[in-house]
Amino acid sequence: MASSAHPPRRHETERADGSPVRIGALVPLTRPGWAEAGRHLLTGLELAVDEVNDAGGIGGSPLDLVVRDTAADPRQAAAAVDELSDLGVAALAGEYHSVVARTAAARADALGLPFLCSSAVIDALTEQPTRWVARLAPAQSHGWRTYADFLLGAGHSRIAVAAQPSVYWASGTRILRDHLAARGATLVELDMSARPVTAVCDALADQRATALLLLVGHPEPAVSLVRSVRRDQRLDGVLMGAPAGQPEFAEWAGELGADGAGIPFLRYLPERLGPRGARVGAALRERLGRTPSFVAFEGYDTVAVLAEVLRAHGTDRARVAGSWPHVAVEGTRGKIRFSRTPGTGVWQWAWPPVQVVDRDPAEPARFRILHTG
């Protein structure tokens, strides 16, 4: 394999027949995937592709995004990776759901196909270390420890989690439990598969927890759980939280209204966007017709990184994968560089900015920054 430090040969990026340079995009666009998150991710990907092509493409060749819907289904994602590989994409981008991204990463590793994961945070994105996969989103342990620090700083020492069975939720529960226990706090686990929503309220009252974290799917049972807690007088003063970011999206506010405000969540944006971030944010807002989520910025940054890699190192897959440690790209949220981070198995941006944010109860369309990490 040629060293990724070497400049690409001219023919690697300029194609005599004018054929496009293809990137495969994995995006949840239909249920049971979180389709709104998928739309934000895809909007960011598409905006960046359009800007690359407006600036001359990749060595004069247009950049082409080949999109496949994963629908939060690991099997569908694996089939999409196989198909995209056969179509000759230079790299894969995207995916929001962690369980799906794990399957896609394993398949990309097996095929020798570079994969820049945009949004999935689960720490062990691959079972074994791989040179083929890099990630923009922070590892779950980094973000969720920041969230736990916020809870501790707000005076919460007895915290409950309502969790559904899932590798992702189990991973989050473990991170929270270990971090809180080391600081003298207690985590009470309420298994949502074993009790109805009303029983969660009873257990929460019995346990005398001062905070309840929603480690559950959206819209259900998250929406029903929020409404039940809000209407239970025994639970006045209990803080609800959603570290996975459900309240970020307009769908949450549309379903819950004022009930969905005051529920802190994690998002991966700086307190203030720089000039590039502000410009991209305005363009994303125009396309989406609403405030862009952090997921839209992740999509944009994914293509921004891949475009720089393809310009500098060509479209050979091994050279693309070999470039991860040499990336230095100014993204919308800061300088993007990749390193080997213990526990992830992939090339990781360590770290994007992390905030704990909620919707202002006085104005649910407005976000309040509560804590930064």
Side-chain angles (χ1 to χ4, degrees):
M1 184 186 82
S3 169
S4 61
H6 295 165
R9 294 183 295 274
R10 184 176 178 83
H11 71 268
E12 289 179 313
T13 54
E14 292 190 11
R15 304 186 175 204
D17 61 357
S19 61
V21 175
R22 289 181 164 182
I23 294 174
L26 304 175
V27 187
L29 295 173
T30 54
R31 295 289 187 189
W34 197 337
E36 186 177 11
R39 288 193 299 273
H40 279 241
L41 178 56
L42 182 57
T43 299
L45 293 166
E46 289 177 336
L47 173 62
V49 167
D50 288 346
E51 291 187 0
V52 168
N53 288 333
D54 288 345
I58 306 297
S61 296
L63 188 61
D64 186 22
L65 197 65
V66 186
V67 181
R68 293 295 180 268
D69 176 19
T70 61
D73 184 341
R75 291 174 297 181
Q76 189 165 320
V81 173
D82 287 344
E83 179 192 3
L84 291 166
S85 180
D86 290 343
L87 289 173
V89 300
L92 289 176
E95 194 44 51
Y96 176 80
H97 296 286
S98 284
V99 175
V100 176
R102 289 184 75 200
T103 298
R107 193 66 195 135
D109 178 56
L111 294 171
L113 178 59
F115 175 29
L116 180 51
C117 183
S118 303
S119 297
V121 299
I122 194 166
D123 277 40
L125 195 57
T126 57
E127 294 295 333
Q128 301 294 330
T130 174
R131 68 190 185 97
W132 295 100
V133 181
R135 174 166 58 188
L136 287 176
Q140 188 178 20
S141 57
H142 177 71
W144 287 42
R145 286 169 186 157
T146 298
Y147 194 92
D149 288 337
F150 157 73
L151 292 172
L152 292 166
H156 298 282
S157 60
R158 189 166 182 80
I159 298 154
V161 296
Q164 290 180 297
S166 159
V167 172
Y168 174 64
W169 298 128
S171 172
T173 299
R174 183 172 61 254
I175 291 163
L176 292 167
R177 182 179 61 242
D178 292 349
H179 194 74
L180 292 168
R183 288 151 183 81
T186 301
L187 191 75
V188 178
E189 299 180 39
L190 307 177
D191 183 359
M192 286 295 293
S193 67
R195 51 170 58 88
V197 167
T198 52
V200 171
C201 293
D202 294 337
L204 191 59
D206 292 342
Q207 293 290 341
R208 300 183 183 278
T210 62
L212 171 66
L213 305 187
L214 309 172
L215 309 191
V216 295
H218 177 270
E220 290 298 338
V223 169
S224 294
L225 192 51
V226 170
R227 286 176 175 155
S228 294
V229 172
R230 292 291 194 217
R231 285 153 179 72
D232 194 321
Q233 294 183 354
R234 297 172 299 170
L235 305 179
D236 284 349
V238 170
L239 174 75
M240 281 187 286
Q246 297 96 319
E248 168 81 357
F249 296 97
E251 186 178 350
W252 174 275
E255 289 162 341
L256 283 164
D259 282 347
I263 298 178
F265 62 94
L266 284 167
R267 72 173 180 181
Y268 309 121
L269 290 174
E271 187 170 355
R272 288 182 179 83
L273 292 166
R276 186 175 193 182
R279 177 187 63 77
V280 169
L284 290 169
R285 178 190 290 272
E286 183 176 352
R287 292 193 177 205
L288 287 164
R290 55 174 50 103
T291 301
S293 70
F294 66 85
V295 179
F297 287 93
E298 288 174 331
Y300 182 96
D301 285 341
T302 303
V303 170
V305 169
L306 288 176
E308 287 298 316
V309 167
L310 292 167
R311 290 187 186 109
H313 302 281
T315 58
D316 177 78
R317 291 175 177 178
R319 288 172 65 86
V320 170
S323 75
W324 301 136
H326 309 294
V327 164
V329 172
E330 193 63 46
T332 60
R333 299 162 296 144
K335 179 78 78 172
I336 299 170
R337 299 178 186 273
F338 297 116
S339 59
R340 284 296 193 183
T341 303
T344 65
V346 302
W347 288 99
Q348 173 71 55
W349 181 16
W351 298 103
V354 176
Q355 302 173 344
V356 179
V357 177
D358 73 356
R359 290 180 176 271
D360 187 344
E363 188 182 344
R366 176 179 173 271
F367 295 109
R368 305 184 299 183
I369 299 174
L370 308 175
H371 182 78
T372 58

